[in-house]
Amino acid sequence: MDNKGRVTLPAQLRQQLDLYPGAEIEFLVKEGGEWYLRRADSQPSCRYCGLQVDLVTIGRDTLCRRCAEKYYRALAQKLGLGEVGASGNLNNKKGKLR
């Protein structure tokens, strides 16, 4: 990496990924700190685990259903909205969102 944060990819890797000057790439970080890169126009995958099936898009994020459910449950708990039931509904003691 140079002092401007630019990274040079080896020629063999550029050929393997069919990258050309001006091609867009993404650096993705998985849970646990692992990272990988891919062509930006490649098939979408989960932002957290990299899975490429059973995806949902929320805003600009793409998540697999498993990670989306984990995120939803964690968010509900963090916001004090009650527990999330098996059906995905909030089981709030007051019966409504706060």
Side-chain angles (χ1 to χ4, degrees):
M1 180 182 311
D2 68 11
N3 60 358
K4 292 184 179 181
R6 296 177 294 201
V7 177
T8 302
L9 301 175
Q12 183 179 6
L13 180 61
R14 293 192 309 263
Q15 290 169 354
Q16 183 180 2
L17 296 174
D18 192 27
L19 296 174
Y20 50 87
E24 292 187 31
I25 60 172
E26 297 176 310
F27 288 88
L28 302 161
V29 180
K30 293 183 177 183
E31 288 184 55
E34 292 182 32
W35 63 273
Y36 63 100
L37 70 97
R38 69 175 184 189
R39 289 178 58 125
D41 60 355
S42 66
Q43 180 176 344
S45 63
C46 176
R47 171 187 176 108
Y48 297 108
C49 72
L51 195 67
Q52 293 183 325
V53 294
D54 204 16
L55 300 175
V56 294
T57 301
I58 303 167
R60 297 180 75 187
D61 282 337
T62 301
L63 300 122
C64 69
R65 186 164 301 279
R66 191 185 96 234
C67 288
E69 287 175 0
K70 282 173 49 177
Y71 182 82
Y72 179 61
R73 291 177 197 284
L75 183 61
Q77 182 180 14
K78 185 84 167 174
L79 296 175
L81 299 176
E83 293 187 23
V84 178
S87 65
N89 293 326
L90 290 170
N91 298 325
N92 192 307
K93 293 178 183 173
K94 294 184 179 181
K96 57 185 173 184
L97 296 178
R98 290 185 238 176

